[in-house]
Amino acid sequence: MKIKQIIIASTLLVSVASFSQKDELKALKKIYAKDIPSASDIVEYKSNITKLEALATEENDKVYSNFYKCMLPIMEITSLGPTATPAQMMKYVNVKSISELASGLNATLDYEKKTGKKIYTDDIIETISSFKPEMLNYAIALGNQKKHKETSEVLYSVYQLDKKEPDNLYFAANYAVNGLDYESALKYYKELKAINYSGEKILYLAKNKASGVEENFSKKVDRDNLVKLGSHILPREEKEPSKKAEITKNIALILVELDRKDEAKAALADARKENPDDVNLITYEADIYLKMNDTENYKRLINEALSKSPNDKILLFNLGVTSGNANQLEDAEKYYKRVIEIDPKYTDAYLNLSDIILKPDAKIVKDMNNLGMSSKEQKQFETLTAERKKIFNKAMPFLEKAYELDPTNEVVKSNLKSVYSFLELNDKVKAMN
């Protein structure tokens, strides 16, 4: 008899718990349905969420318990009323709450799709539409504060809420890289690759007459209507190129950063199979080999790229930068001079070429500072001074040309003044001042 009593008592406890959680769900549903919940409603809402977390055991109850929980920030914002300011709303928004909102809403949508009972589906879609602009503004604010990792997380959550706009996933990946969150960046770039994202689009541009700023429109008809109204002028269109090669490159570069070099090489090899003549992919693969100190494969790929596009000044300039960073100064000088042959007005090529020429100066100065006062060392000092003059004289015409092309460039001006000062060309320094 005692055993039966225990079993009966346990059954009653389960029943009480079940009734209890149904009561909490009913209370939450009632508050949720209000247009503007009161402060006391929010207190009750929070209390019921806390109780439900311990009581919900069935899938249905767990899904809706989580739904009400993730909607808490939205409920708090709604309780502020229609006159709430953005600053007041932002008190209830943070990276974590947006992530939980995306997760909770998607879980509810998936569950209602599975069961065929669309209790909140339409409401969720409306919520996403209403609050997505505010979430994007929040991401922009975080980006302006250089909080790259947080910006990435918010943008990824926004993408999770609306996968019809994969640009948000692309920017999430870029911000993750800037925030040194390489694992997340790799995940996002792989998602972009999986959905075959290219980012290709037509930009519809026109200048705002009032502000003088060129504005971008997602739809041609919107731009054209404003031009007809006279508020905008100089309409034009610009094609946004494909980002597929860039995404492949970034996956490989991140894999190198994570010391997964074999995976990086495999990623680029696959991309090359699809686009064997893509010069960008060839140079990206070359960068990978350079980072792995494999100069033989690096040079092989560079020569392949140049054979396909021998007069590509951007390619040559980038090769100059890469070679300079790898301390391959002769190659860098050769590439910059070739850029100048192709485009004599390429200011940065002159500037970078002068930097390459002057690069040995740091070591010369160090050697000079280590010399003593003996007659032998003084002769060495004079030899090194002559060597310095030689490289400064070699760099000077390239800096002068850069200054001629862009006299407002502060880096060019500063470097040229330093060269003039060392060579004691004081009249030229005064002329620049």
Side-chain angles (χ1 to χ4, degrees), residues 314-330:
I314 304 298
L315 169 62
L316 289 160
F317 182 83
N318 288 337
L319 291 176
V321 173
T322 303
S323 299
N325 290 340
N327 214 34
Q328 298 175 355
L329 304 187
E330 287 184 13

Side-chain angles (χ1 to χ4, degrees), residues 315-371:
L315 169 62
L316 289 160
F317 182 83
N318 288 337
L319 291 176
V321 173
T322 303
S323 299
N325 290 340
N327 214 34
Q328 298 175 355
L329 304 187
E330 287 184 13
D331 285 345
E333 187 172 336
K334 176 183 72 177
Y335 292 132
Y336 288 132
K337 284 182 175 178
R338 180 72 185 116
V339 173
I340 291 167
E341 284 178 22
I342 296 166
D343 183 0
K345 293 185 178 180
Y346 205 124
T347 305
D348 286 341
Y350 290 102
L351 176 59
N352 285 20
L353 177 55
S354 68
D355 284 342
I356 291 297
I357 294 168
L358 291 169
K359 202 165 187 179
D361 186 56
K363 185 180 182 304
I364 296 172
V365 170
K366 184 179 178 182
D367 291 342
M368 292 172 77
N369 290 335
N370 289 332
L371 293 173

